[in-house]
Amino acid sequence: MTDRPAKHRTVAVDVDAVPTAEPRVFPWPWYAVAILGTIAAVAAGWLMLAGATALGWLTSPDAELNASLFLATDILLLAHGVPVMVGEQLVTLIPLGLTLILIVLAQPVAGLAARQAIGALNTAEDTGRIWVDGESVVLRVAGTIAATHGILVAGLTAALDAPGGILTGLLGGVVLGAVSGLWGASRALGFDPRRTWPAWLRSVPSAMGYGLLVCLAGGVVVLSVALIAHREGILLIHEALNPGIAGTILLVLIQLLYLPNLILWATSWALGAGVTLGDESLLSMSVTDVGFLPSIPVLGAVGEPGLAGGAMFWWLVVGVAAGLIAALIVVLARPRARFDETALVGALSGVATGLLATLLCSLASGGLGEERLAHFGATIDQLIIVAPVLLGLSGLVGGAALGLLRRPPRVEGSTSPEKMPPSPVEETEEDMRPLGS
């Protein structure tokens, strides 16, 4: 056997050739994705409610299926801020848990529509990242979702002849759609509107967010302590209702939909403003004065009427901590600022955080009926004063103290700004590049 000579093949390879990342483009235009996706998100929320109300229909011999489905629609409208009639009572208390669920359901729709709009523009760079006028795309997608959501809710309001009226349904749908649209589209494109803000202002939203989280964490602790301390009263109300298995499931679901409301009520209490549970009632750090309450198990967490001890005022540390955290965020972002500047910005961040907490507590308040049940929630007229003052003063003191502690050392022999350490919040050439570059 003879050996066959080996044959060598030379293959030319272009090592510089890099496959270009092609954006995924679906067969539908972005506006169709936004419109149909918004309708699907609202329908998904309604189906969840319809499933829960249908459970009550299946276990109640006197209930009607149509009534249970209409109840699901009423709750859906209520989540958009539309007052509805439940039985013979006018209900205006928004179930913020359902509102958050609807926002979360619509957020991926906004992200998909934004990516679809970018893919249609076909502006992919060699790096695979996308350059586009992010603000324009975000606003178009969010506007389309907000308009679709508003028209859909307004149509349901007109069809059911809800007491809130068509304009209330339109406004509630537009606001909810705008929030989910702006959130989803901005996340999908990596768009941050703060890029064009002045350097001193960029850290304020983060300071407000962290301060609000501290307030809400305090509200969670207050609510948890109340539920644990009065768990026997909660169980007594539940046993008196004798709801059965299906009724227990419905009661738990309804109370979970109002869980964010309860946390915000507890936040109002922790900030020193207090809570009202019906006409001429008050829950505050100094006194508990309530009368007749509806037979809702979670309301069993309300303590016995009477004066409270002075130790309750230690809960004000929640607002103090929130103001200090807000000041800390802005001071860390401004290491070269003087202590008077950090004190001023810290105070403004604390005041803004207090106003934001007041707004959320206002949205979490409403009525479960008329007369004595006309208002449940935070005492807004007190909270709008107490929260900004408490957080603002804490931010002022904290900002001044942190500014003094973080004063940069003087450079020996020169005071020129070139020898000072650079600030992380100063605008650089990289900061001013277009989105995605």
Side-chain angles (χ1 to χ4, degrees):
M1 175 179 290
T2 61
D3 295 334
R4 299 178 61 182
K7 295 183 179 180
H8 300 281
R9 299 177 60 188
T10 302
V11 180
V13 179
D14 185 3
V15 295
D16 295 329
V18 179
T20 303
E22 295 291 337
R24 295 182 61 185
V25 180
F26 293 89
W28 293 347
W30 69 267
Y31 52 85
V33 173
I35 294 173
L36 296 178
T38 302
I39 296 174
V42 175
W46 181 85
L47 285 174
M48 289 191 299
L49 294 173
T53 55
L55 178 63
W57 167 71
L58 289 173
T59 57
S60 178
D62 299 329
E64 297 181 359
L65 179 59
N66 289 341
S68 65
L69 297 181
F70 277 119
L71 178 60
T73 309
D74 286 336
I75 298 175
L76 180 68
L77 293 177
L78 191 60
H80 293 84
V82 181
V84 296
M85 296 295 298
V86 178
E88 298 180 355
Q89 298 293 330
L90 178 65
V91 179
T92 60
L93 186 61
I94 302 174
L96 290 182
L98 178 59
T99 303
L100 293 176
I101 291 174
L102 293 174
I103 291 176
V104 171
L105 289 175
Q107 181 263 334
V109 173
L112 179 60
R115 289 190 294 269
Q116 180 73 357
I118 295 238
L121 292 176
N122 194 21
T123 54
E125 288 184 332
D126 292 339
T127 59
R129 299 187 66 184
I130 296 172
W131 184 92
V132 72
D133 184 3
E135 183 176 4
S136 174
V137 173
V138 168
L139 291 179
R140 280 187 289 170
V141 171
T144 302
I145 292 177
T148 304
H149 210 132
I151 293 173
L152 185 59
V153 176
L156 290 174
T157 304
L160 271 66
D161 195 20
I166 297 177
L167 290 179
T168 304
L170 180 64
L171 178 61
V174 167
V175 171
L176 196 148
V179 170
S180 56
L182 291 172
W183 178 26
S186 298
R187 286 190 60 189
L189 302 185
F191 174 72
D192 187 356
R194 294 178 298 177
R195 295 173 67 92
T196 59
W197 292 8
W200 65 271
L201 188 60
R202 295 178 190 172
S203 60
V204 173
S206 297
M208 294 173 59
Y210 282 107
L212 181 63
L213 285 177
V214 173
C215 292
L216 295 178
V220 170
V221 175
V222 170
L223 180 61
S224 301
V225 170
L227 292 175
I228 294 173
H230 301 93
R231 57 186 180 275
E232 294 182 358
I234 296 173
L235 292 175
L236 286 176
I237 297 176
H238 181 80
E239 292 173 357
L241 293 174
N242 192 20
I245 297 178
T248 299
I249 295 175
L250 288 177
L251 276 174
V252 171
L253 290 177
I254 292 174
Q255 292 174 103
L256 285 177
L257 291 181
Y258 281 102
L259 179 60
N261 301 64
L262 298 174
I263 293 174
L264 287 168
W265 296 358
T267 301
S268 175
W269 186 93
L271 294 178
V275 178
T276 59
L277 299 177
D279 187 29
E280 298 180 356
S281 67
L282 177 64
L283 277 73
S284 68
M285 294 181 179
S286 58
V287 63
T288 298
D289 183 13
V290 293
F292 172 77
L293 293 176
S295 297
I296 301 175
V298 72
L299 295 183
V302 177
E304 295 294 329
L307 298 177
M312 290 294 181
F313 287 94
W314 282 104
W315 284 104
L316 291 175
V317 73
V318 172
V320 174
L324 291 177
I325 291 296
L328 176 63
I329 299 300
V330 294
V331 170
L332 291 178
R334 296 175 56 81
R336 294 197 307 173
R338 301 191 308 268
F339 76 94
D340 56 338
E341 295 177 351
T342 58
L344 177 60
V345 179
L348 292 177
S349 299
V351 171
T353 305
L355 292 175
L356 178 60
T358 303
L359 174 62
L360 293 178
C361 289
S362 176
L363 293 175
S365 303
L368 292 175
E370 300 176 358
E371 297 180 357
R372 289 191 57 86
L373 303 180
H375 182 78
F376 278 70
T379 52
I380 303 301
D381 56 341
Q382 298 181 26
L383 184 62
I384 198 172
I385 298 174
V386 172
V389 170
L390 178 61
L391 273 70
L393 288 176
S394 303
L396 174 66
V397 175
L402 292 171
L404 289 172
L405 292 174
R406 288 182 55 86
R407 290 186 67 181
R410 291 177 59 88
V411 179
E412 194 71 27
S414 174
T415 58
S416 62
E418 287 79 5
K419 294 187 177 182
M420 299 297 291
S423 171
V425 298
E426 288 184 344
E427 294 182 358
T428 62
E429 182 179 354
E430 182 178 356
D431 290 333
M432 299 306 294
R433 291 188 301 174
L435 177 68
S437 59

